[in-house]
Amino acid sequence: MVTHERSSADMARYRVGYEAEPLRESELAANPLAQFDAWFDEAVMAGLPEPNAIHLATCGTGDPVGPTLRAVLAKSVTADGIRFFTNTESTKGRQLAQNPAVAASFTWFPVHRQIHFLATAQPLPRSEVAAYYATRPREAQIGAWASRQSTVLTDRTDLQQRYDHFAHEFADQQDAINVPPYWGGYLLRPHSVEFWQGQPSRLHDRLRFVAQQLADPPLLSASEGWKVERLSP
């Protein structure tokens, strides 16, 4: 049997060559949403796991000071932006209340593609939050009540006990469980959308839609109000 030693101190050897068709201005869709839809469909067809996962960076002014990063699941990307749902008392929720400016990225390594967004986060109306919450599996609804997201736990037993408590409390509510008051959703309104396509020799293609009025960005489906820039890799 042949064994291979692996070391996190030697990551430089894990090099992948990017071989893909170039991303040309002449082939770019007329607006960010159309281009996103085309790439998302191809990610799905390629069988990528959780293609709706995005890395979301937020930065607040309190504890913790500075930026934080995590993966969340986008629930839709439509003309007005990206929607996701979370505990609003979590680290990201607190930071978004302090500073609504965010960066987000879909990263699809198997197809050598990334899509980067710079955006402003807006809380979603409670009616929309409740409508989505009602579609979640019952176990996930109870989990939202059980988790004090981002707070310190003594051990996992504490979390399981809270879940068991709420499972018992809601045992008679078979049709619907109310949305926790601290659980909500956000709409990310992008003003910059960059499409990144890996290329040989690390000469990657980067085409970016930039809103011409950052304070009031156009819809992602709009063909006017965006300018396209090519960035150096």
Side-chain angles (χ1 to χ4, degrees), residues 23 27-40 115 195 209:
L23 179 60
E27 299 170 355
L28 194 68
N31 59 69
L33 183 60
Q35 185 64 41
F36 175 86
D37 285 345
W39 274 22
F40 185 79
I115 307 177
F195 293 89
F209 288 87

Side-chain angles (χ1 to χ4, degrees), residues 14 29 48 59 75 78 100 159-160 172-173 176 181 192 226:
Y14 300 108
L48 272 61
C59 188
K75 295 305 177 181
T78 57
L159 180 61
Q160 187 62 54
D172 295 333
Q173 299 184 29
S192 173
W226 298 98

Side-chain angles (χ1 to χ4, degrees), residues 161-222:
Q161 288 176 343
R162 284 183 57 81
Y163 182 91
D164 293 343
H165 166 79
F166 284 107
H168 176 74
E169 182 171 319
F170 296 127
D172 295 333
Q173 299 184 29
Q174 296 301 319
D175 294 335
I177 296 176
N178 292 333
V179 183
Y182 46 80
W183 200 86
Y186 296 90
L187 172 68
L188 306 184
R189 289 290 314 279
H191 56 79
S192 173
V193 187
E194 177 191 332
F195 293 89
W196 185 101
Q197 175 69 71
Q199 290 292 285
S201 304
R202 297 302 191 254
L203 300 180
H204 313 306
D205 287 322
R206 299 174 61 190
L207 295 183
R208 179 174 65 181
F209 288 87
V210 180
Q212 293 177 310
Q213 294 185 4
L214 300 187
D216 185 22
L219 294 175
L220 293 176
S221 58

Side-chain angles (χ1 to χ4, degrees), residues 133-156:
Y133 188 81
T135 70
R136 303 185 88 204
R138 182 178 179 83
E139 294 78 8
Q141 292 178 345
I142 296 172
W145 279 95
S147 175
R148 296 167 173 164
Q149 194 173 122
S150 301
T151 61
V152 176
L153 284 167
T154 302
D155 56 37
R156 185 171 177 83

